[in-house]
Amino acid sequence: MTDLLSTIWLDDSDPLRLSLQQWELLLSQAARSSLLTRLSRLLTDRGLMAQVPSVVAEQLVGPGVLVARQQIEVVDEVERIRNAASKCTDTIILLKGAAYLVADLPPSRGRLFSDIDLMVRREEISAVESALLGAGWISQERDAYNQRYYRRWMHEIPPLFHVIRASAIDLHHTIAPPTSKFRMDATQLYAHLVPTRFENVFTLGPTDMVLHSAVHLLQEGEFDRGLRDLLDLRDLLTYFSQTEGFWESLQSRAKVLGLQEPLCFALFHLHRLFGFCAPASCTALALEVDQWALRHPFFNWCLALAIKPDHPSCNSLFSAFARWALYVRSHQIRMPVYLLIPHLLRKSWMNVFKHDELKERAKENARMTDAVKQLA
Amino acid sequence: MRLSQISHDDLSHRLAHKGLVIRTGPFTFRLVSEHPHVRETIGRLYAHYPVFDSEAFSHYTVHLKHGPGIRRWLRRQVRFGYEGSFPFEPLPYTHAYPQLEWAMNWCISTQAHQYLIFHAATVERNGRAVIMPAPSGSGKSTLCAALIHRGWRLISDELTLISLSDQTVQPLVRPVSLKNKSIAIIQAYVPEAVMSDVTLDTVKGTVAHMKVPDAHIVDMAIPSTPTWVIFPKYVANAAPQLTPVSKAQTLVELAKNSFNYGLHGNAGFNALGRLLDSCDCFSFEYSQLDDAMEAFNSLLPPEQLVVS
């Protein structure tokens, strides 16, 4: 059995040559990687939807309904967030998926959402959190250590969930943890914001959006979404580079923000996976960054394994190890070793007892939801 | 080819390796399990369903695996695996068969959004379908199990699939799930019914699944036209009573009993509206199955009853 999903996005892939059995496997891998509707979009864009086997086309209808609904709901939620948070801030910045959607950028087409990523000024974050609490979004992180860890060391607070609609918000104050190798002063990003159709709601500028996506890929350690993130990046680069001078501004912006390494890392893997070619001037940037970090054979081997669908047909003996190694490295990028080791030890200890804690939390959430529903 | 035509060894081999590819209504499932009780029960309840070789396309693959870690051997468990994930908590080893049925329902209700899906039983006679939406415990499965042995055709016992384009109902035709007291009631009412073994102490209490009459499986590709929506309610010692319910109220109740009404937005509302335009809606209280059979038959013009 093989990874059919990673190669289907190549320009010269030929989905019509797949056997029915291969289609079944491809759909299953795509479902596991939340890329079913991205696959529909590929087939539609290439004009192949009418030629694929009818069982395959039928199987793609349901997920399409789900995504269409989700996109409507995400826009509604953004408006609700704006209404709640506008009391305490005039600048709400959408990041990642929600930004692509509201700005109507290509990666949003056929993209599933797991949460809505927002950024506000650091000094406004408590006020915004309270305003969101007032509107029904609560933090479900009950563990004191995790709460402290997020608030002290991270670039975001623990995720907030809406008590009735269950929508999730990740509230950031910058795009990389303050202890990260790629830390930055978020105010630098505010100079290039792009307004959206919602008052007080912005997205990052094109270059910053690409750079954030690249940083995210390198530091988040959630490689089950690695393939989706790389596809997002490819879409963004293809779209923005239609504007004259985009590559030059991307390059100089990467230098200003000190994000050459994540950018080169992303370009390297876009080329390796999809044969995506950036102009030579941009790839030359790679010579300025730490070659060892960029072409680290071990981590590239891990990434190649981890980026495959987390599906029984693709998992090898080393997949779990590779994902773990990347998880550790993503943390190492986020914080120095003297913080990292105690944190990971603490996390593994907590993991051992996770089961009971999850049950407790589920019970508590159910109680909470009931209470809120009764009030409503 | 039907499942009863393959040998016992072939069935075991398929289930243990590339999966048993079997069709139920519009969906083809690939079932993978080495659980002996699952194999035996599939052999019993799915004997008349069409099966395909392992190279055929399946919509959903359901794995029933052993429990994690030590629970493979000690206080054994069974776990539903789907595309490399485990959507549910593991269950005791003896709950494997109901787990399989629930897992199959989960695949459909969470993904087949090409249909408007309701938590409802549906039966049909002479091309006209009765949709019975109802919460658990209202006796809809009991009623459904009895009706399909008294001249009505099973469309579905648990998930009712409505086409968004023409509002016909697509048969799913899976074994009927019976709970607690209704198991003995149906065994007495339909002595010839073929049942799975009873599973005790599940989250839904004691459960058993009943085999669908062969003729209904043969007809499982034929859609039907919804003509009535009936909310059944078992009330001890009650005389049978059909009471009209407004279409607006019915729409709200159906929406509440839907898995994906909200997902379809406007299209869902319009489809449900059109569905109800051509339906008569009732609530129905009963205590005796014979009374219920008579009440349901009274919905049809008398000449149609004679023909069937």
Side-chain angles (χ1 to χ4, degrees):
Chain A
M1 299 267 241
T2 40
D3 172 13
L4 294 170
L5 187 67
S6 305
T7 51
I8 200 79
W9 318 102
L10 292 171
D11 290 332
D12 58 357
S13 72
D14 186 2
L16 296 181
R17 283 180 54 194
L18 296 172
S19 69
L20 266 183
Q21 218 185 353
Q22 286 173 318
W23 270 115
E24 182 183 326
L25 185 62
L26 174 65
L27 292 181
S28 175
Q29 291 175 352
R32 179 69 176 134
S33 309
S34 307
L35 287 171
L36 263 183
T37 38
R38 189 70 173 67
L39 181 64
S40 303
R41 175 186 142 191
L42 176 90
L43 298 172
T44 309
D45 288 353
R46 291 205 195 159
L48 300 176
M49 202 52 116
Q51 289 155 269
V52 302
S54 60
V55 275
V56 174
E58 276 166 33
Q59 185 81 332
L60 291 169
V61 174
V65 172
L66 185 66
V67 165
R69 189 72 218 161
Q70 243 196 2
Q71 301 213 339
I72 294 170
E73 285 175 0
V74 168
V75 173
D76 286 353
E77 291 296 282
V78 166
E79 206 169 357
R80 291 188 179 109
I81 290 166
R82 194 274 313 265
N83 293 342
S86 281
K87 284 173 248 167
C88 35
T89 178
D90 59 1
T91 319
I92 303 160
I93 303 164
L94 300 175
L95 301 172
K96 300 187 61 209
Y100 308 151
L101 182 65
V102 170
D104 200 17
L105 293 170
S108 67
R109 289 184 47 225
R111 191 184 192 276
L112 270 169
F113 291 82
S114 45
D115 47 24
I116 297 172
D117 293 282
L118 305 176
M119 183 165 84
V120 296
R121 292 187 193 91
R122 184 160 202 170
E123 59 273 21
E124 290 168 346
I125 209 160
S126 331
V128 171
E129 189 185 357
S130 304
L132 291 174
L133 176 68
W137 279 278
I138 59 169
S139 178
Q140 297 201 345
E141 183 55 74
R142 297 282 182 275
D143 184 83
Y145 174 79
N146 283 344
Q147 279 284 357
R148 211 163 54 238
Y149 166 76
Y150 267 101
R151 287 170 199 276
R152 173 73 182 83
W153 301 112
M154 293 305 287
H155 52 305
E156 58 189 336
I157 63 168
L160 306 173
F161 295 89
H162 197 275
V163 281
I164 291 174
R165 298 189 303 275
S167 59
I169 297 178
D170 274 345
L171 185 59
H172 302 66
H173 53 78
T174 179
I175 61 172
T179 53
S180 156
K181 194 172 166 185
F182 308 118
R183 64 185 162 271
M184 79 180 63
D185 176 8
T187 50
Q188 285 179 290
L189 303 170
Y190 281 73
H192 293 76
L193 297 183
V194 177
T196 66
R197 62 178 186 273
F198 299 110
E199 199 190 341
N200 298 340
V201 178
F202 298 83
T203 67
L204 296 175
T207 52
D208 295 357
M209 195 182 270
V210 169
L211 291 168
H212 174 229
S213 185
V215 172
H216 185 82
L217 185 70
L218 194 59
Q219 76 175 8
E220 288 303 308
E222 38 176 43
F223 280 90
D224 49 331
R225 302 216 188 93
L227 190 56
R228 186 198 68 184
D229 288 349
L230 279 164
L231 287 166
D232 283 353
L233 256 172
R234 183 173 75 162
D235 279 349
L236 285 180
L237 288 168
T238 309
Y239 177 74
F240 287 140
S241 61
Q242 292 166 4
T243 311
E244 191 71 33
F246 170 76
W247 286 109
E248 290 74 23
S249 25
L250 179 63
Q251 201 180 328
S252 51
R253 191 71 179 148
K255 282 187 195 174
V256 170
L257 298 176
L259 296 177
Q260 297 100 319
E261 192 182 318
L263 177 60
C264 292
F265 173 83
L267 292 176
F268 176 76
H269 287 285
L270 283 173
H271 181 71
R272 192 182 62 84
L273 267 175
F274 310 128
F276 182 88
C277 286
S281 61
C282 211
T283 43
L285 203 63
L287 299 174
E288 296 173 24
V289 304
D290 182 355
Q291 288 302 300
W292 180 241
L294 187 61
R295 296 182 193 278
H296 200 303
F298 172 70
F299 284 118
N300 280 338
W301 172 79
C302 287
L303 192 88
L305 282 181
I307 223 156
K308 289 182 178 180
D310 185 7
H311 188 275
S313 60
C314 304
N315 283 336
S316 75
L317 273 177
F318 301 108
S319 302
F321 169 73
R323 290 197 176 97
W324 175 80
L326 288 169
Y327 172 78
V328 172
R329 189 179 70 144
S330 71
H331 275 75
Q332 190 207 334
I333 291 170
R334 287 197 249 172
M335 57 178 90
V337 176
Y338 68 89
L339 288 175
L340 174 68
I341 291 177
H343 174 63
L344 289 183
L345 284 175
R346 180 91 187 228
K347 281 299 240 192
S348 14
W349 172 258
M350 284 162 63
N351 251 338
V352 175
F353 298 101
K354 190 173 81 177
H355 199 66
D356 292 343
E357 188 205 330
L358 280 179
K359 269 190 190 162
E360 279 302 308
R361 201 185 303 173
K363 265 190 225 158
E364 195 175 333
N365 288 342
R367 270 203 303 275
M368 189 81 105
T369 311
D370 283 350
V372 172
K373 276 185 182 157
Q374 275 177 3
L375 284 176
Chain B
M1 192 166 50
R2 300 197 182 271
L3 190 131
S4 55
Q5 291 166 285
I6 65 175
S7 70
H8 180 266
D9 288 349
D10 191 6
L11 175 61
S12 305
H13 186 266
R14 289 183 193 215
L15 279 169
H17 294 90
K18 289 183 173 173
L20 172 72
V21 182
I22 189 161
R23 189 161 188 92
T24 151
F27 305 112
T28 307
F29 282 89
R30 184 182 298 275
L31 309 178
V32 191
S33 175
E34 293 186 58
H35 201 295
H37 183 227
V38 167
R39 179 182 60 226
E40 192 274 324
T41 312
I42 288 177
R44 199 187 316 172
L45 300 187
Y46 282 88
H48 213 64
Y49 288 76
V51 292
F52 305 93
D53 62 37
S54 62
E55 275 72 46
F57 181 88
S58 69
H59 295 91
Y60 308 113
T61 298
V62 174
H63 284 264
L64 276 191
K65 301 185 178 198
H66 51 73
I70 190 113
R71 304 304 287 272
R72 183 172 184 171
W73 300 282
L74 199 69
R75 293 179 63 203
R76 300 169 80 185
Q77 287 182 325
V78 63
R79 206 158 46 141
F80 163 42
Y82 187 73
E83 284 162 355
S85 66
F86 296 100
F88 304 151
E89 291 289 307
L91 289 181
Y93 188 73
T94 50
H95 294 189
Y97 188 74
Q99 174 69 109
L100 174 77
E101 290 286 343
W102 298 336
M104 290 167 79
N105 287 343
W106 177 88
C107 291
I108 298 168
S109 64
T110 58
Q111 290 167 85
H113 305 307
Q114 61 269 43
Y115 297 103
L116 199 49
I117 310 175
F118 296 99
H119 183 211
T122 300
V123 294
E124 178 233 58
R125 198 158 183 170
N126 301 328
R128 295 157 157 222
V130 187
I131 299 176
M132 295 183 277
S136 299
S138 56
K140 85 177 150 58
S141 289
T142 322
L143 196 51
C144 174
L147 284 164
I148 64 171
H149 286 95
R150 296 289 190 275
W152 293 76
R153 168 168 82 111
L154 178 70
I155 299 290
S156 178
D157 149 56
E158 194 82 19
L159 302 175
T160 291
L161 310 171
I162 302 288
S163 153
L164 281 142
S165 53
D166 61 9
Q167 289 79 53
T168 54
V169 55
Q170 187 69 48
L172 186 56
V173 196
R174 296 250 310 285
V176 178
S177 145
L178 296 169
K179 287 177 272 253
N180 304 320
K181 283 181 190 161
S182 67
I183 300 169
I185 293 172
I186 290 301
Q187 276 169 336
Y189 197 73
V190 189
E192 73 274 20
V194 177
M195 300 270 206
S196 70
D197 292 345
V198 165
T199 309
L200 304 171
D201 301 324
T202 74
V203 281
K204 303 184 183 187
T206 302
V207 298
H209 285 81
M210 185 190 77
K211 185 174 186 275
V212 179
D214 290 350
H216 305 189
I217 297 163
V218 172
D219 288 345
M220 73 184 180
I222 307 170
S224 183
T225 309
T227 310
W228 304 278
V229 178
I230 296 181
F231 299 93
K233 193 175 179 197
Y234 170 83
V235 179
N237 306 319
Q241 194 180 8
L242 272 171
T243 316
V245 177
S246 77
K247 292 196 181 191
Q249 181 66 25
T250 307
L251 189 140
V252 171
E253 289 300 323
L254 271 171
K256 274 192 216 162
N257 280 288
S258 174
F259 288 92
N260 61 2
Y261 173 73
L263 276 188
H264 288 287
N266 226 348
F269 175 76
N270 288 331
L272 191 48
R274 282 195 298 273
L275 173 88
L276 292 177
D277 280 344
S278 56
C279 282
D280 291 327
C281 311
F282 303 95
S283 66
F284 177 56
E285 280 189 6
Y286 74 103
S287 57
Q288 302 300 317
L289 283 172
D290 276 332
D291 296 343
M293 299 303 108
E294 203 172 303
F296 272 64
N297 288 340
S298 73
L299 296 167
L300 294 158
E303 68 277 10
Q304 291 198 358
L305 278 176
V306 179
V307 175
S308 58

